[in-house]
Amino acid sequence: MAPPDLPLFERDREQAVLSAVIGELRSGRPALVTVTGEPGLGQNELLRWAAGQARDRGVHVLAARATSAEHELRYGVVAQLLAPEDRDIATRLFVAPQRPGGLPGLNHLLTACHDRPTLLVVQDVQWLDPASLRWLEALARRLPRAPLALLTSTTGTAIDRPEWSVGTPLTGLASTIELALPPLTTSGVSAAVRTVCGVPGDTDFTHALAQATRGVPAVVHEVLLRFTRTGCAPRAEHVEHLRALTAEVVGDHAAQALSELRDPVAVDVLRALAVCGDLLDFPLVCTLAGLHPVPEARLRATLMASGLLTPRDGSPPGHDAVVRARILEEMPAADRADLYARAARLAQRVAVADQGIAELLLRARPVGAPWAVATLRRGFAAALRSGRRDRATAYLARALDEPLRSEERARVELQLASVQMVTAPTAAERRLHGLIRSTGTGTGLRSQAVDLCLLGGDTRAARLAQPTGPGTLGDPAPCDADVPAPRRGSGTGSPPGRRARAVAGDATAPRGGITSDPAHRDGADEHPERTATADNDATVSAREELATVGDRHELATVSERHELIALLRVARFLRHEETCPGVPPAPALPEHSHSPAVAGVRAWEHAMAGVHLEASRRLARAAFAPDPGGRPPLVTPRLFACRALFLTDDGDEAEAHLATLLNEAHRQRAAIAIAHVLAVRADLHLRHGRPDAAARDLAAAEAELPPARLHPLFVPYWASLNLVADLQNGRPDRAREIAARPVPSLSEECATSAYLLFARGVLARSEDDPQRARAYFRACGRWLLHYGCVNPAVLPWRSLAAEAAHALGDDAEALRLTREEVRLAARWGTRSALGRAELGLAVVIRENRTEHFRAAVATLSESPARTDYTRAVLELASAESAEAERRTALALTSRRASTAGGVAPGPLPGFSQAPPAPAGVPPGRGAAPHPRPPAGWPALSPAEHETALLAASGLANREIATTLSVTTRAVELRLSGVYRKLRIRGREELRALRYGPEGG
């Protein structure tokens, strides 16, 4: 209720009406006035003001107030009205037996009114007891015969609607008026702030107050009183404090109204409404509250009268969140949980949306029904689709409270941990470690748990899962004791060792016969047809042995062992812990395993060592084959297989597999897997000269996995990708900022540190600081060698360190490093690695530099390394230009010494006398000499000259922009200037000018 001193803001119209009624009452004209509105709008305050005005004008005033506590007290309000006239009236009304049709004191009141005008003021008529209601209705029918006015207030719908409030013929000629009070407008709230606080409030403060209080004067007044006690000024910076105070006040009002509600049935219905009023209609809510004899209309009216229930926009009544919370706080915890459980069952029966039922189940006790877990899991998926990860984890955590089978519980735990890896990584690790240690985990779940831990940066999980028993330390084939005996009567005479090898390896292998035996591998490379036949025979034999043995459980155990060893090898790569005391070395990968996880990790290890290109390519492809035993695929081995594929120059194939991985991660709503797939794809984009696509993938990855949640083991890798992408996209300031950021101490212990060292070296190289660049490239090399990575395709640190050494004058070191890289790249065998190595050698060598550059261009033209190819073309053009200048100087000298004359002048810079073969043509294939260059060529600016050379070499505008660190629009403008000055129409004519008619 409104405090007695609440100012009557924005009630001028109502005050004018009441003043007119009082004036006409003094003239003998009766009236019926009802003031309505939600609780707190000031109805009773307005009635008290009218009573004061009437007394000041000499009108006799009789006042009473109905309450919920006296709703069953006979004539409770009548006794209050007549007590000033007759002090003994209360005793007679309450004690004397009720006579049929009796209206005690009414005739005496009407007789007295003829001598003096009288105003009857009754507050809160929604709580009138039945006897007082009949008495006041009888009074209303007699109003035309007496100078008397009845002024009442109500909060919305009364329990028994008084007939006088609707203007029925019962009132005769008496004026019947209903005043509905609206909430305060923003202007009224602003006036209240100025009145209570003493100073005007700013716009944001006033708007927030009006929105939080809904303009209810009682709430506005009390909130402002509490706010002023804190000593704060009504400014925008205190809006959050204001909202907290408003929640307190609304909650206190709700608690007070709830304490005044005496009807137990109404209380039960109110609690049911607080639980599911937004999901179920009112009749179903009444059903949830239990069987009761009270009519629905009366229950609705009782709740509306209490102020705890308000209609909104014609929809079914609802509660504010604060009021709902305060109502439920009054319930014992066990009763509240039981009410939520019953509400969830009812909602499920009437087919409420999954998320609505899931919200009920969150606060309910376990219901023990299968539909509960299914509903919570569907709610989990819906919450993830809407980006509400916290809510999604709450749903799955609640599902674990239900009775579940062990395998189903493990799957829910794994699904929950996949989301918690982003929101609560510590809790996710604890949950996954429990799954890894569990002996009753279902097929593939332990491996998936370790896989998820590795994506989160937890390498300890792989050692927790390290298998014990036969095959632990790299022995791929279990001993005969591990293999179940053949069935009797199977008719097989296979030796036990052969049968064991079949179960352990060949039976679980993907097609292709992958093996790690060097002799077998080399032989496979030399005789692919013989190897394929032998492998097919081995596969058929293995399947026959498997059918003979027939023990799927043992097969699953062996497959899991191989997967766990593969994941342990990944953990070893991410973080070298074998130097720590008490940490055993990681076991070698199984020799004869056809597990896709083993194939993926082995492909990466071959790529790291820079050996067996074809075997690495074949293994990487086998990593994406379905597991013969139907085990779910793992993410980490397939990511490493993708990285191996783009080291083997199979970037398009790797990109297709990454797209498959990304779609799979999106279907599973695994944010951490999505982020890692996007990061690896960004690496691929950078290697293929697409920095803009890399920047988009990195931004999407950080949206899924914020940098603050990224494990320290992956910080260097992500930072290096962002640094290089910014550098190639022409944002050196951001690249320098990334390079200067400190990294966690744990980041300095992992293999990915080499990537950040390399990226910092690239930045120093772009800033023309060879001393610092060489230091970074050397540190990168030491770190890679520490982890067994010698393949220059991973990071070409040798050639870049050699260029820095060459710039510092140390040609011996430069030649040593570049020749070593050429040797290692040739051993690996990809065009990208070899072309980069040849380019590095051409930069630092003195003899036949142009020929070396031509060899690098020819090699790189057949590789996906577009950035390196662009650089090689530029270097070749520069070298040819220098040679052309020297030839021109010699020709001019010869002409001056000659008396014959008639010798044509040599070519201008940028045009060679014998132009090189175009990109992709092997050195030695000549082109026809070019005629004299066009007259406009010397007019080109250096920037236009450089751009024209690249365009003539066949590069697209985007590639030229990436190479020159300018925008695509700048390239377009430069080429337009070139075409205009040379008086040509496009690239074809420019290419003809560059290479001659035979060279295109």
Side-chain angles (χ1 to χ4, degrees):
M1 293 302 148
D5 56 348
L6 179 67
L8 294 172
F9 294 115
E10 297 186 327
R11 297 294 181 251
D12 296 337
R13 180 183 69 88
E14 290 81 5
Q15 288 175 317
V17 170
L18 293 177
S19 294
V21 168
I22 292 170
E24 291 180 353
L25 178 62
R26 296 181 69 242
S27 302
R29 298 188 59 182
L32 280 169
V33 182
T34 304
V35 182
T36 66
E38 295 181 24
L41 291 180
Q43 301 94 313
N44 293 341
E45 177 67 18
L46 193 60
L47 262 62
R48 285 190 288 269
W49 175 87
Q53 292 291 313
R55 291 190 185 97
D56 293 341
R57 297 187 186 186
V59 175
H60 184 53
V61 177
L62 299 177
R65 179 181 180 184
T67 64
S68 59
E70 297 180 355
H71 177 62
E72 302 298 332
L73 180 62
R74 189 181 61 175
Y75 290 122
V77 170
V78 174
Q80 294 180 54
L81 286 173
L82 301 182
E85 304 294 326
D86 185 357
R87 293 183 178 180
D88 298 330
I89 187 67
T91 303
R92 296 197 302 273
L93 289 174
F94 300 153
V95 176
Q98 183 177 4
R99 292 179 299 171
L103 299 169
L106 179 59
N107 292 330
H108 182 270
L109 175 64
L110 293 173
T111 301
C113 287
H114 286 288
D115 298 332
R116 54 181 179 179
T118 302
L119 175 67
L120 270 65
V121 179
V122 182
Q123 302 177 21
D124 298 329
V125 295
Q126 70 270 13
W127 298 119
L128 279 173
D129 61 274
S132 296
L133 177 62
R134 289 194 302 273
W135 193 92
L136 288 173
E137 287 176 346
L139 174 66
R141 287 193 293 270
R142 293 167 174 77
L143 278 184
R145 300 193 297 271
L148 186 145
L150 178 60
L151 177 59
T152 63
S153 69
T154 180
T155 56
T157 304
I159 298 174
D160 292 315
R161 181 106 173 143
E163 292 187 6
W164 69 76
S165 63
V166 293
T168 63
L170 293 176
T171 59
L173 299 177
S175 300
T176 303
I177 302 170
E178 183 170 354
L179 300 175
L181 300 184
L184 295 179
T185 63
T186 305
S187 299
V189 174
S190 179
V193 172
R194 187 168 51 251
T195 301
V196 178
C197 298
V199 293
D202 62 17
T203 304
D204 292 339
F205 182 90
T206 303
H207 180 73
L209 179 62
Q211 188 177 25
T213 61
R214 293 190 297 142
V216 177
V219 180
V220 170
H221 188 255
E222 190 168 347
V223 168
L224 288 175
L225 287 178
R226 297 190 187 186
F227 182 80
T228 54
R229 293 192 195 107
T230 64
C232 298
R235 297 289 178 263
E237 57 266 24
H238 300 129
V239 165
E240 291 303 321
H241 178 53
L242 175 74
R243 291 192 176 117
L245 287 177
T246 304
E248 272 184 32
V249 171
V250 171
D252 292 345
H253 284 204
Q256 181 181 355
L258 187 62
S259 65
E260 294 174 354
L261 194 60
R262 306 291 178 173
D263 187 350
V265 175
V267 171
D268 290 341
V269 173
L270 186 64
R271 289 171 173 173
L273 276 170
V275 166
C276 57
D278 296 335
L279 299 175
L280 305 177
D281 56 19
F282 194 77
L284 285 175
V285 170
C286 293
T287 302
L288 178 63
L291 298 176
H292 51 77
V294 183
E296 177 187 324
R298 184 176 181 83
L299 278 173
R300 189 188 295 269
T302 301
L303 297 177
M304 297 282 286
S306 70
L308 294 169
L309 197 65
T310 55
R312 296 182 182 176
D313 302 327
S315 60
H319 295 280
D320 287 331
V322 175
V323 175
R324 177 183 298 148
R326 190 59 68 94
I327 290 170
L328 295 176
E329 283 175 5
E330 303 295 326
M331 293 182 67
D335 294 346
R336 185 168 58 245
D338 181 71
L339 179 59
Y340 271 109
R342 290 189 287 112
R345 287 196 188 94
L346 181 58
Q348 195 268 341
R349 285 200 299 270
V350 297
V352 173
D354 287 333
Q355 279 197 280
I357 304 175
E359 285 293 320
L360 295 175
L361 289 171
L362 276 183
R363 300 168 181 82
R365 58 169 174 76
V367 297
W371 60 263
V373 176
T375 301
L376 287 166
R377 296 184 75 172
R378 289 194 299 269
F380 159 82
L384 280 186
R385 282 195 298 270
S386 60
R388 302 167 61 207
R389 287 177 179 160
D390 292 340
R391 213 59 178 170
T393 56
Y395 291 152
L396 279 193
R398 171 61 184 82
L400 292 173
D401 293 336
E402 297 290 334
L404 296 170
R405 292 180 291 105
S406 59
E407 184 172 347
E408 186 179 9
R409 179 174 296 277
R411 293 187 184 281
V412 174
E413 292 262 13
L414 186 68
Q415 196 174 23
L416 176 56
S418 69
V419 181
Q420 286 183 327
M421 271 295 179
V422 176
T423 59
T426 304
E429 287 179 9
R430 286 198 301 266
R431 197 177 298 279
L432 291 173
H433 287 184
L435 283 177
I436 293 168
R437 292 190 182 98
S438 174
T439 58
T441 305
T443 303
L445 291 183
R446 292 183 72 222
S447 300
Q448 287 182 284
V450 177
D451 183 36
L452 191 53
C453 283
L454 288 177
L455 290 175
D458 177 19
T459 57
R460 297 171 301 163
R463 295 208 174 272
L464 284 177
Q466 184 171 355
T468 59
T472 296
L473 297 177
D475 180 14
C479 64
D480 295 343
D482 285 343
V483 183
R487 295 194 186 107
R488 293 182 179 178
S490 61
T492 179
S494 301
R498 177 185 174 190
R499 186 163 55 249
R501 286 192 296 273
V503 175
D506 296 339
T508 57
R511 292 179 299 274
I514 305 303
T515 177
S516 65
D517 179 38
H520 184 189
R521 185 172 52 243
D522 295 341
D525 293 344
E526 295 175 4
H527 306 284
E529 297 177 357
R530 186 187 309 167
T531 303
T533 303
D535 289 339
N536 290 335
D537 292 342
T539 302
V540 172
S541 175
R543 289 175 179 170
E544 291 174 355
E545 294 289 345
L546 176 60
T548 301
V549 176
D551 196 327
R552 301 291 181 180
H553 177 72
E554 289 296 329
L555 177 59
T557 302
V558 173
S559 299
E560 183 179 78
R561 181 183 298 127
H562 290 182
E563 286 180 345
L564 294 177
I565 291 174
L567 294 173
L568 185 56
R569 300 290 293 182
V570 173
R572 175 186 177 274
F573 168 73
L574 292 176
R575 188 181 181 191
H576 235 330
E577 298 177 316
E578 295 177 357
T579 57
C580 301
V583 178
L589 288 170
E591 292 290 337
H592 302 281
S593 175
H594 290 263
S595 167
V598 172
V601 176
R602 188 179 296 284
W604 174 248
E605 290 189 350
H606 284 339
M608 290 277 289
V611 294
H612 309 304
L613 174 65
E614 290 304 322
S616 179
R617 180 178 287 127
R618 187 171 63 252
L619 284 161
R621 290 168 178 167
F624 295 92
D627 187 273
R631 297 175 64 80
L634 304 179
V635 176
T636 306
R638 288 185 291 167
L639 280 180
F640 277 90
C642 286
R643 295 173 70 177
L645 279 175
F646 59 72
L647 292 181
T648 61
D649 279 359
D650 297 296
D652 293 340
E653 188 176 348
E655 191 168 2
H657 287 310
L658 287 171
T660 302
L661 279 172
L662 192 61
N663 291 335
E664 178 184 302
H666 275 298
R667 285 196 305 271
Q668 296 174 356
R669 309 293 173 184
I672 194 165
I674 294 171
H676 280 286
V677 173
L678 288 170
V680 173
R681 194 169 70 174
D683 192 350
L684 175 62
H685 288 321
L686 290 175
R687 290 173 182 269
H688 288 191
R690 301 190 292 263
D692 50 348
R696 287 194 297 270
D697 274 352
L698 288 171
E702 291 183 357
E704 294 289 340
L705 180 61
R709 297 287 189 183
L710 186 64
H711 194 277
L713 288 182
F714 301 115
V715 168
Y717 182 59
W718 285 43
S720 67
L721 296 176
N722 279 286
L723 192 157
V724 175
D726 286 334
L727 201 58
Q728 292 186 7
N729 283 317
R731 294 191 287 265
D733 293 338
R734 288 181 55 179
R736 281 190 287 270
E737 179 188 349
I738 294 172
R741 289 176 191 165
V743 295
S745 58
L746 184 59
S747 300
E748 300 174 357
E749 305 175 12
C750 61
T752 58
S753 296
Y755 288 86
L756 183 56
L757 291 169
F758 183 83
R760 287 172 174 170
V762 171
L763 177 62
R765 181 170 174 268
S766 71
E767 295 173 341
D768 198 18
D769 188 351
Q771 188 74 36
R772 190 158 53 93
R774 181 168 69 168
Y776 278 128
F777 290 134
R778 281 175 168 176
C780 168
R782 286 192 297 271
W783 206 245
L784 287 176
L785 292 175
H786 173 69
Y787 279 87
C789 178
V790 297
N791 191 350
V794 178
L795 291 174
W797 62 271
R798 294 175 183 84
S799 57
L800 296 183
E803 291 181 24
H806 177 68
L808 295 171
D810 192 351
D811 291 340
E813 181 187 2
L815 285 173
R816 178 183 63 81
L817 288 172
T818 52
R819 284 171 176 159
E820 181 183 3
E821 181 160 330
V822 169
R823 179 180 62 82
L824 293 172
R827 186 181 74 169
W828 177 236
T830 61
R831 307 293 288 179
S832 295
L834 184 58
R836 278 193 296 263
E838 291 173 344
L839 177 60
L841 179 61
V843 170
V844 302
I845 203 167
R846 295 183 181 275
E847 298 83 9
N848 300 322
R849 296 184 72 233
T850 304
E851 294 303 323
H852 284 291
F853 278 129
R854 287 193 181 114
V857 169
T859 304
L860 287 170
S861 66
E862 300 176 8
S863 79
R866 302 308 301 168
T867 302
D868 294 305
Y869 170 69
T870 303
R871 184 191 169 213
V873 170
L874 283 174
E875 295 283 2
L876 175 59
S878 177
E880 288 178 343
S881 178
E883 282 190 0
E885 289 175 359
R886 287 195 296 272
R887 290 173 184 165
T888 301
L890 290 173
L892 289 175
T893 302
S894 300
R895 192 175 70 170
R896 291 191 194 98
S898 173
T899 59
V903 179
L908 294 173
F911 287 83
S912 62
Q913 188 71 21
V921 178
R925 177 182 173 184
H930 193 280
R932 294 180 59 187
W937 189 266
L940 298 182
S941 67
E944 290 172 338
H945 180 270
E946 188 178 40
T947 306
L949 286 176
L950 293 175
S953 299
L955 299 187
N957 286 358
R958 178 184 295 179
E959 294 173 325
I960 298 173
T962 300
T963 303
L964 302 180
S965 297
V966 296
T967 63
T968 307
R969 179 59 178 164
V971 174
E972 294 171 354
L973 293 175
R974 289 181 186 180
L975 289 177
S976 297
V978 170
Y979 300 154
R980 185 178 65 255
K981 292 176 181 179
L982 298 183
R983 297 183 180 181
I984 60 178
R985 288 176 294 182
R987 285 176 178 266
E988 292 302 322
E989 294 186 25
L990 180 63
R991 186 175 177 84
L993 290 174
R994 175 69 178 88
Y995 292 124
E998 299 288 337

